Amino acid sequence: MIRPALVVAALLAATPVLAQEPAPQRYQLDLSVIRSGVEVVSTRTQILEDTSASASASIGGTVYEFEANLFAVQGDGADAQMQLEAHLARGEQEIAAPRLTFLRGSKAAVRVGDGSGDLLTMTITPIE
């Protein structure tokens, strides 16, 4: 009888340690193309840590394609830094490849201009 009680006690003692491991976090990823101060294209998708996501949008026959990868870059636990690597294309031409580093669970944004005068904004927001 003592042996099963010890096993249960050991499992209960280990439970808080297991509960401290962060679960993979979901993020909402927003991309906008702004031309002359006016948003002309906007797309939204979700991405999970250690996965990739893609989205596309079109305006006036021009297709914008977006691919992103999200992964941890250092540390462990709730304070790990995350990196978002994105590739943005207009038609067949790649127009930007920004990298964004931020703390896990934080909101972050980047703006990138391209040669045509478009301003590209990318925002990542944790989903609770």
Side-chain angles (χ1 to χ4, degrees):
M1 285 306 239
I2 293 175
R3 187 172 271 173
L6 289 175
V7 171
V8 170
L11 288 174
L12 290 175
T15 301
V17 172
L18 295 175
Q20 291 175 359
E21 288 294 319
Q25 184 129 14
R26 289 184 317 148
Y27 292 85
Q28 178 175 297
L29 201 48
D30 295 293
L31 174 71
S32 298
V33 177
I34 300 168
R35 185 174 297 144
S36 301
V38 177
E39 183 178 79
V40 294
V41 175
S42 179
T43 187
R44 173 179 290 167
T45 190
Q46 291 186 11
I47 190 168
L48 191 64
E49 289 181 21
D50 299 320
T51 64
S52 60
S54 62
S56 64
S58 65
I59 182 165
T62 302
V63 177
Y64 291 85
E65 294 187 14
F66 167 71
E67 294 181 18
N69 295 301
L70 179 64
F71 52 90
V73 290
Q74 71 180 27
D76 52 348
D79 294 331
Q81 288 186 343
M82 303 299 297
Q83 187 166 78
L84 178 69
E85 291 182 347
H87 296 277
L88 311 168
R90 183 186 313 108
E92 295 295 317
Q93 178 186 14
E94 184 170 298
I95 54 177
R99 287 184 178 176
L100 181 60
T101 303
F102 59 98
L103 290 178
R104 177 183 280 129
S106 298
K107 180 177 179 177
V110 64
R111 291 177 178 226
V112 179
D114 74 352
S116 73
D118 287 350
L119 178 63
L120 309 162
T121 63
M122 185 173 61
T123 305
I124 187 163
T125 308
I127 298 174
E128 307 238 353

